[in-house]
Amino acid sequence: MWHITKREIYDNLNSLRFALTTVLLLALMVTNAVKHLREHPKRVQRYQDAVTASLNHLTDRADDSLYTLAQYGPGNFYKKPSPLHFCANGGESLLPDAVEVDEPPVFMTDAEGNRLLEGIWSLSYPDANLNNKNVGPQVSQVDWAFIIGYILSLIALWFTFDAFSGEREQGTLRLMLANSIPRHTVLIGKFLGALLSISIPFALAVLVNLLLISTANTVHLTTEAWGRLGIIFCLALLYTSLFVA
């Protein structure tokens, strides 16, 4: 089985499709990293500006009583940009950036319109900016989800469509089956060879992508983020193996 796997890897490494796959994945991953490094600081700056404005608003209300602060609330709650935005956009642009705090409702007023009885503040989540005319996935987003879901699955089919027909054309399939090799051994060897051949350029592209992002001063990846990236990489290989099989 391992002999078949090594021969499959050797044949793929010396093929044109392996070189094209490597160039394609590297180009997409570099594009993804450059785009993230350009857009992430802008998202962080907008978040910091909004938080600063909210804190300044609370500072201006420092002379208010605790009852007034509890009644009108602390202000809006803003969503912090994720450093892993380059992995999957997830329609984040369609979602609001903050949870708004509504003013307390008025239950009773006097004849002059002065408030006599008021409630307390409540949270209001704004409606999503959905486009009902276009509910399909955004394939224009060059993130990991697009690369894994579309490109990597097509590459898996490209590497395996001639796994046995190519052997038949070269005349090596009859020679292989003439030996005392079980058919399941041939299938497993072909499967592992194709999967490892695809994993090499994908791992190289991911390494370059993370190297560009992690060495930049504008993006800080925590230990938890690195753990999630490892899980995403393993799931990507598992997803690709379904198409290889």
Side-chain angles (χ1 to χ4, degrees), residues 167-189:
E167 296 279 359
R168 179 180 297 177
E169 292 177 358
Q170 296 174 6
T172 56
L173 181 61
R174 184 184 299 273
L175 180 62
M176 182 188 305
L177 296 178
N179 297 321
S180 58
I181 303 176
R183 293 192 175 184
H184 70 272
T185 302
V186 177
L187 293 175
I188 295 175

Side-chain angles (χ1 to χ4, degrees), residues 128-208:
N129 302 318
L130 297 178
N131 184 2
N132 295 327
K133 296 182 180 180
N134 184 16
V135 296
Q138 296 184 359
V139 296
S140 60
Q141 297 289 341
V142 186
D143 51 15
W144 282 29
F146 168 75
I147 296 173
I148 296 171
Y150 290 89
I151 305 301
L152 207 59
S153 58
L154 293 176
I155 290 174
L157 297 177
W158 189 25
F159 269 72
T160 56
F161 80 97
D162 61 345
F164 289 97
S165 61
E167 296 279 359
R168 179 180 297 177
E169 292 177 358
Q170 296 174 6
T172 56
L173 181 61
R174 184 184 299 273
L175 180 62
M176 182 188 305
L177 296 178
N179 297 321
S180 58
I181 303 176
R183 293 192 175 184
H184 70 272
T185 302
V186 177
L187 293 175
I188 295 175
K190 287 281 188 179
F191 169 79
L192 293 177
L195 182 60
L196 292 175
S197 299
I198 298 172
S199 301
I200 293 173
F202 178 63
L204 178 62
V206 168
L207 182 62
V208 173

